[in-house]
Amino acid sequence: MKTVAVFCGSRTGAPVYEKNAERLGEYLASQGITLVYGGGKVGLMGIIADSVLTHGGEVIGVIPEFLHSREIAHTGITQLHIVETMHERKKMMADMADGFIMMPGGAGTLEEFFEVFTWAQIGLHRKPIGVLNTAGFYDSLRLMLSDISKQGFIDSHQLNIALFNDHPRELINEMNHYKHVPTKRYDS
């Protein structure tokens, strides 16, 4: 992977989440992986962007005009793209990314994750999706996906679309070795 889109909170949450965001940013920079993210200077978004920059990496932000005008855009990053809508933001981020990582966050973070997860399910992309499961933050999500599969709404092999790990280095390694498993229903 040369570029990874990271979905995460515009709030910081507990200090352990901040620390892992810093670690992920440092590791991305050390591997020459460019960060693509929501363009904000607040919360975990700002922390990971600053960490990548501090360690000599490149950061590309994509932010809608209505958020940029509220002065939460990070002006010190490598590139900042200003778009009209949230949909344009997500599409641009997805188009630029070789893979995706979800860090702790709220409803917006989950929405971004489920969109790229769904796209992988139906064969719109074959990119790895990592879940940085810091301190078990997404254990309940993993269980929910498993339960949905047991109820017949997700094929069991599709549970491997999302790679869960609480260590940035190990997660990136898993993503670099990810092999898309075609879905009979959608992939040819």
Side-chain angles (χ1 to χ4, degrees), residues 132-174:
L132 189 57
N133 193 27
T134 305
F137 187 85
Y138 286 118
D139 285 350
S140 58
L141 173 64
R142 191 177 206 171
L143 181 61
M144 182 185 75
L145 291 171
S146 178
D147 286 344
I148 291 171
S149 176
K150 288 175 187 171
Q151 297 299 322
F153 291 99
I154 296 175
D155 292 338
S156 61
H157 75 276
Q158 290 182 323
L159 294 175
N160 295 326
I161 289 173
L163 307 168
F164 286 75
N165 202 305
D166 60 343
H167 300 288
R169 181 182 307 258
E170 293 173 14
L171 181 60
I172 296 293
N173 186 49
E174 287 180 47

Side-chain angles (χ1 to χ4, degrees), residues 81-100:
H81 297 274
I82 302 169
V83 296
E84 290 298 314
T85 67
M86 293 293 282
H87 293 293
E88 288 177 74
R89 175 198 226 177
K90 291 185 294 182
K91 181 176 180 350
M92 181 177 276
M93 289 174 64
D95 288 346
M96 284 194 260
D98 298 321
F100 308 94

Side-chain angles (χ1 to χ4, degrees), residues 8 15 31 34 36 41 43 50 81 95 109 141 146 163 168 172 182 188:
C8 59
Q31 298 303 297
T34 299
V36 176
K41 66 180 179 184
D50 287 341
H81 297 274
D95 288 346
T109 303
L141 173 64
S146 178
L163 307 168
I172 296 293
S188 48

Side-chain angles (χ1 to χ4, degrees), residues 37 39-41 50 53 68 71-80:
Y37 83 119
K41 66 180 179 184
D50 287 341
L53 292 168
H68 179 264
E71 298 185 325
I72 62 168
H74 196 310
T75 56
I77 59 179
T78 311
Q79 293 177 35
L80 181 64

